[in-house]
Amino acid sequence: MVGGMISPMTTPAAVIVDATAYAQAVEDAARAAAAYYAGGTSPLDDDAYDRLARGIAAWEAAHPDEVLPDSPTGKVAGGAAEGDVPHTVPMLSLDNVFSPEEFTAWTASLARRIGREVTRFAVGPKLDGLAVAARYHEGRLTRLITRGDGTAGEDVSHAIGTVEGLPAALPEPVTVEVRGEILMTTAQFEHANEVRIQHGGQPFANPRNAAAGTLRAKERAYTVPMTFFGYGLLALPGTDAALAGRLEEPAYSELMSTAAGLGVHTSAGTAVPDVVVETPEQVVARVQEIAALRAELPFGIDGIVVKADLAADRRAAGSGSRAPRWAIAYKLPAVEKITRLLEVEWNVGRTGIIAPRGVLEPVVIEGSTITYATLHNPADITRRGLRLGDHVMVHRAGDVIPRVEAPVAHLRTGEERPVVFPEACPRCGSDIDTSEERWRCAQGRNCHLVASLAYAAGRDQLDIEGLGTTRVVQLVEAGLVADLADLFLLRREQLLALERMGETSTDNLLAALARAKEQPLSRVLCALGVRGTGRSMSRRIARYFATMDHIRAADAEAMQRVDGIGAEKAPSVVAEIAELAPLIDKLTAAGVNMTEPGATPPPPADAEGGNGAPPAAAGGPLAGMKVVVTGAMTGNLERLSRNEMNELIERAGGRSSSSVSKNTTLVVAGEGAGSKRAKAEQLGVRLATPEEFAALVAGLLG
């Protein structure tokens, strides 16, 4: 069972008050483990299972003579009472710690056991999947076996060929056993659910359950891919003597290098590769780094594995019947919990989008009490087969908005009710456009005019000082404003006639509106709130086309040439611009700027030698650079909003981005920079302080 974001607090144990409660807890834990390992289902989420297991362990520590044979504390976490295929070497699970204090106690215990301090630790992600052993004979993959009870496992060789990262043939004709984890990436999980639903099945609750159920399925009418990550390599009878010698007493880090050399997929190519450190303090620091990157990973992790790297330390520490004493799993707080879906609310956004939101039975995830979660759109509710009263898996990681993954179908009681979809706009009662997955009020932006205008007036859009939501409501209710362009047609006498609008506030607002007319096209485009775009995309569109006339003349093919707009999004952006044509004409007539300073229109697509691409950026201190800003800015940059920082980057010839990758050129890391700085350091991306960055773009700072 699993867990997930780092917390200074130990996961609390379930309170077991007497022998009867203990027996019930053991029964519940055994049933949950059996259901999980048999088909990827469980009546408990990971956090609940961890609390139960810790409660059982605490009771047994106080009552050692009353331990029941079915207790999970003495068993390998594999779930099978017996298996079909004996393991060559016992396939053990790991003991857990949940806090820096528990980890420090473990390292002290390890040092006492081996008679010396451990000076090399291998630290890597604890992947959220199923442990398997893959046997190769003369370089060919011949057998795939689950962990089972640690001594024998289930033969799942029928899955060979469906697992990415587990090659059917090694580059050398060697006979070895590769051990590792099979899981589903986020993309594979979404694909698996789509295929499963198409074949009439219930969606999987989460990627781990999907991998567990899929690995064991033998007679399905379909197959879906999974991914393998190796973490062990063993010699088998028949292994080449030279290779067997290399596998006999290696450091763990050397073993993984050998595995990678044989073409085995490991964490080495991910954002969280295994690393070797020298002290417990460095281990905890690495744990923090991996935990900070967790929400951005394309696969699930439920902790960090810490191992003694040197073979001599591992040999001296030895192993118990359930787990090695030289390794530990540093568990992270759960990012997924099971709770109940009580209701579905339908909210209307500023562009008229009607969005469903799930009302949940309150549940604590990562220290926050979650009572609402996104349901994406009506089509998603239908695809997932959600019902009111369902037990659902809720996912939240880092700052990501909580989302409902899927119903936990095996917990249904028969009392669940269908979700009722609105027949008219829940805000204004108008018809609903249901032609796309995201439903929209037929009134569009006019349905939620106040929200639309308040957004347009915001600092990162037109920056109209003095035009907050209260003032917008007043203007709308007075009948003075029916769309964005009407703001620029307001007269002084109209404003003076309103309550709480004296001469000073009136003149200040009119001055702010006059300044807003001069904002660059990118901000005007953002203020229009084109669906499928935001601040960064509005800047890219404006800088690519240079003028509103060129934007309006663009077809879907031309729109696709803008970085970040693909074939799916381009037609909707073009259609949205066409829908806004009357408003754009009205804004132009009111004197609002419709050009982007410093931008040059792209050449025609059919011009000689042209392909419709804009000319290369004419120099600039950040020309050709991809820049990420994180943390609090100081000095000359302190007054700039994040949007203004991104505008500055693009004026300097660079491209702003919100995520760090191997393609990032520079990360500007201010005070409080966290996961993005950590990822930049891990990838070797250049870092700059706010002061260093300000010096770099000094010529563009006002």
Side-chain angles (χ1 to χ4, degrees), residues 460 523 539 622 627-630 633 636-651 656 668 690 693-694 697 701:
D460 290 335
R523 284 178 169 253
R539 286 195 300 273
L622 303 180
V627 183
V628 174
V629 178
T630 182
M633 295 296 102
N636 292 338
L637 305 178
E638 186 174 8
R639 60 185 172 81
L640 300 182
S641 68
R642 191 52 46 88
N643 185 59
E644 290 168 334
M645 279 289 294
N646 292 337
E647 288 178 333
L648 175 62
I649 290 166
E650 293 177 12
R651 288 204 311 274
S656 62
V668 184
F693 181 76
V697 296
L701 284 170

Side-chain angles (χ1 to χ4, degrees), residues 595-611:
T595 62
E596 185 70 9
T600 304
D606 57 354
E608 185 176 350
N611 63 359

